Amino acid sequence: MLADDSAPSHAESLAQSLGYARDYAEELRRMLAEGKPDFDRGAQLVQAIRNMLLAASDSLDELDDVQQEMDAVEEMQGLTDEELFSAITCPPFGV
């Protein structure tokens, strides 16, 4: 599916960001379950979770870009020589 050289690093970044978000959420859950909320720490944890989810979203966007490139390459591999030449030399409609 994803054969791009950068895909593993994007996937690792995604997994790492989600792991940190999970850890922060678990810390927040424990703090609330104990019935001793620290409002400053709670706000820090919520912000940290938000930041990790944004980082995960960025990594997911990168993986989506890689997948789109891989799909385009796969599509081009199925073209005849004439279709490939036409795709390279003819402007797309509406341009």
Side-chain angles (χ1 to χ4, degrees):
M1 181 172 135
L2 296 172
D4 185 85
D5 290 341
S6 60
S9 66
H10 296 311
E12 178 63 30
S13 293
L14 175 62
Q16 190 174 41
S17 296
L18 291 174
Y20 286 135
R22 182 194 64 236
D23 293 346
Y24 295 140
E26 180 60 25
E27 183 178 343
L28 183 59
R29 186 201 62 76
R30 276 194 314 270
M31 180 177 58
L32 295 172
E34 292 172 358
K36 303 176 193 173
D38 176 340
F39 294 107
D40 290 335
R41 181 65 182 150
Q44 290 173 347
L45 289 169
V46 167
Q47 185 61 49
I49 292 167
R50 182 176 285 123
N51 290 344
M52 290 299 101
L53 292 176
L54 287 172
S57 178
D58 289 345
S59 295
L60 197 55
D61 288 343
E62 301 267 346
L63 283 170
D64 188 46
D65 291 345
V66 169
Q67 184 61 53
Q68 288 176 10
E69 291 173 16
M70 297 305 300
D71 291 345
V73 167
E74 186 176 321
E75 185 178 320
M76 284 189 291
Q77 289 174 338
L79 297 176
T80 65
D81 290 344
E82 293 80 18
E83 291 170 330
L84 185 56
F85 179 78
S86 178
I88 293 170
T89 59
C90 296
F93 294 111
V95 175

